[in-house]
Amino acid sequence: MFFKPHTPTSVGAALLGLACVLTTLPVSNAHAKKKAHTAAHKGGHATQPTEASVAYGRSEAVLAFARQVSERHPELDRVWVENVLQDARRLPIVERLIMPAATPSAKNWMVYRARFMDPLRQQEGRRFLKTHAQALQRAEDRYGVPAEVVAAIIGIETIYGRNTGNFRILDTLATLSFNFPTGRSDRSGFFRSELEQFLVLCKRDHLDPLSARGSYAGAMGLAQFMPGTWLNYAVDFNDDGRIDLLNDTTDVIGSVAAYLHASGWQRGVPTHFAVSPPKSDTALATLLGPDIQPSFSAYQFTNLGAQLDQAGQEYPELLALVMLRNGTELPPDFVAGTSNFWAISRYNWSAYYTMAVIELSQALANRRQK
């Protein structure tokens, strides 16, 4: 999905203080999809609204945008771009959904975890691993990402295709491009870029821009890639000459693995280690300062009073202290995240999302071994 760190993705990847934009790392999914994931995880992707919507038609904003897009992309005929965009509709429900909650609830890892360790996802995950074993193994061989991690991401994003969203992508991206709601940091520029990438993607991969559907933030397919992420990181993993993340599970598997690999996934490296936080509030604040980006050596962890397990003490690369709050009544959980924890978080910049992927993947791996 989906909004995915430095500046975007896919899934879902935009809106929680996006400190980033497209750079050499695929981060659009992480930021662009974060708000969409929050809503989806509370109760599934919203369905296409029935309330009145208004077509943008040939408004001045649409015509100006069409001219700019066609100038930047000579392969896109200006008349075609105008004809597509004039069919886009402004969706008030999208404007509401993209806003932060009026009264945000306290973060609770145990509650969040329970949503994604449910019997359905584990059952469907085992079936997915069995059905697509060959493609998953090929992806693991090529990109180094374990089959269970790829499967867990697809399970958390859409329950293996059961819930891919029913908003027309053209409408959602147009709404967030031309009518991004006031009251929060303006991300209309990001969504204009995604709308442009969507048009380029439709032309390149022969998608119908008037029928493609997904989340209210513009993420599409089983893996909830944003258009820019699809365009730049998706792969034709079945070698049929086209990339299809809406219907071709083999392409989805290869693309998720390729995205994580591009995000820095390292073959054979653990995702995290057990750790006890330092007792000093100052030391704790220091370790939590960089958020979940690995920034400290194991030696620095120890010097600041954090206690790593034996494997963590021997880890030669940088670590991040990750805090997972358990509401207001219970103390938080902590782990020491590695570069692979960080790589998963490029899909959706959230420690809770990342840890849910890890725990579901471990559950699937344990079941597979048995």
Side-chain angles (χ1 to χ4, degrees):
M1 206 337 152
F2 347 142
F3 294 167
K4 351 263 266 224
H6 331 330
T7 90
T9 338
S10 85
V11 135
L15 304 162
L16 247 162
L18 285 196
C20 27
V21 262
L22 284 174
T23 65
T24 54
L25 287 182
V27 295
S28 56
N29 241 39
H31 282 279
K33 292 169 36 180
K34 188 161 188 177
K35 173 66 176 173
H37 274 291
T38 300
H41 296 167
K42 288 182 178 178
H45 296 273
T47 57
Q48 183 73 34
T50 56
E51 65 182 317
S53 58
V54 178
Y56 281 99
R58 300 179 66 81
S59 66
E60 183 178 341
V62 164
L63 293 178
F65 181 73
R67 181 177 65 254
Q68 294 164 3
V69 169
S70 60
E71 288 174 352
R72 285 191 289 265
H73 301 277
E75 74 276 16
L76 300 182
D77 178 73
R78 180 172 168 179
V79 174
W80 177 81
V81 175
E82 290 177 353
N83 289 339
V84 170
L85 290 176
Q86 74 176 4
D87 195 65
R89 306 189 73 83
R90 178 180 178 180
L91 303 181
I93 189 174
V94 168
E95 297 174 47
R96 295 197 299 272
L97 287 171
I98 212 70
M99 294 296 287
T103 54
S105 57
K107 294 181 178 180
N108 192 316
W109 162 236
M110 291 188 293
V111 172
Y112 189 96
R113 179 186 184 278
R115 293 194 186 113
F116 299 107
M117 292 297 289
D118 59 292
L120 176 61
R121 276 189 176 81
Q122 295 192 51
Q123 174 183 314
E124 292 301 309
R126 294 193 294 271
R127 181 179 292 121
F128 187 86
L129 285 168
K130 182 177 181 180
T131 302
H132 303 287
Q134 185 176 7
L136 287 162
Q137 186 60 56
R138 191 157 56 88
E140 184 170 344
D141 292 342
R142 180 177 300 183
Y143 298 111
V145 184
E148 293 82 6
V149 172
V150 174
I153 285 178
I154 298 171
I156 285 178
E157 291 291 335
T158 63
I159 316 181
Y160 306 98
R162 285 172 174 250
N163 191 0
T164 58
N166 198 35
F167 283 89
R168 200 168 65 147
I169 297 298
L170 178 64
D171 297 336
T172 63
L173 293 179
T175 299
L176 297 174
S177 295
F178 304 123
N179 293 99
F180 195 89
T182 58
R184 68 165 306 146
S185 177
D186 182 15
R187 297 301 303 162
S188 59
F190 170 81
F191 286 104
R192 284 181 185 237
S193 174
E194 287 297 323
L195 178 57
E196 180 174 335
Q197 297 299 299
F198 175 67
L199 295 170
V200 174
L201 174 65
C202 288
K203 182 64 70 172
R204 188 197 74 175
D205 288 357
H206 310 292
L207 300 178
D208 179 4
L210 304 182
S211 64
R213 292 180 179 271
S215 79
Y216 70 79
M220 298 180 286
L222 276 74
Q224 293 290 279
F225 272 28
M226 293 296 290
T229 305
W230 180 333
L231 194 64
N232 291 296
Y233 298 100
V235 297
D236 174 18
F237 205 53
N238 63 0
D239 298 319
D240 66 352
R242 64 188 298 263
I243 299 172
D244 181 4
L245 303 187
L246 301 179
N247 305 295
D248 193 316
T249 305
T250 299
D251 281 357
V252 171
I253 288 169
S255 296
V256 171
Y259 184 86
L260 291 178
H261 176 75
S263 299
W265 182 275
Q266 298 183 53
R267 188 188 304 268
V269 172
T271 56
H272 64 285
F273 300 103
V275 64
S276 297
K279 293 181 171 56
S280 163
D281 290 341
T282 301
L284 179 62
T286 298
L287 288 172
L288 293 176
D291 196 12
I292 56 178
Q293 184 169 11
S295 304
F296 302 96
S297 67
Y299 176 78
Q300 290 172 310
F301 258 62
T302 301
N303 269 6
L304 286 166
Q307 296 180 351
L308 289 160
D309 65 10
Q310 187 62 40
Q313 293 175 36
E314 297 172 356
Y315 183 66
E317 299 183 29
L318 298 180
L319 296 165
L321 183 63
V322 178
M323 180 170 67
L324 301 161
R325 297 187 182 278
N326 289 308
T328 58
E329 303 298 323
L330 297 174
D333 290 333
F334 291 88
V335 297
T338 69
S339 58
N340 281 352
F341 191 101
W342 173 254
I344 295 174
S345 75
R346 300 310 80 210
Y347 214 99
N348 180 0
W349 196 346
S350 162
Y352 300 82
Y353 173 90
T354 303
M355 202 66 203
V357 168
I358 292 168
E359 296 223 354
L360 180 56
S361 71
Q362 289 175 340
L364 295 176
N366 292 339
R367 183 72 179 188
R368 194 180 188 189
Q369 291 170 1
K370 290 178 181 179

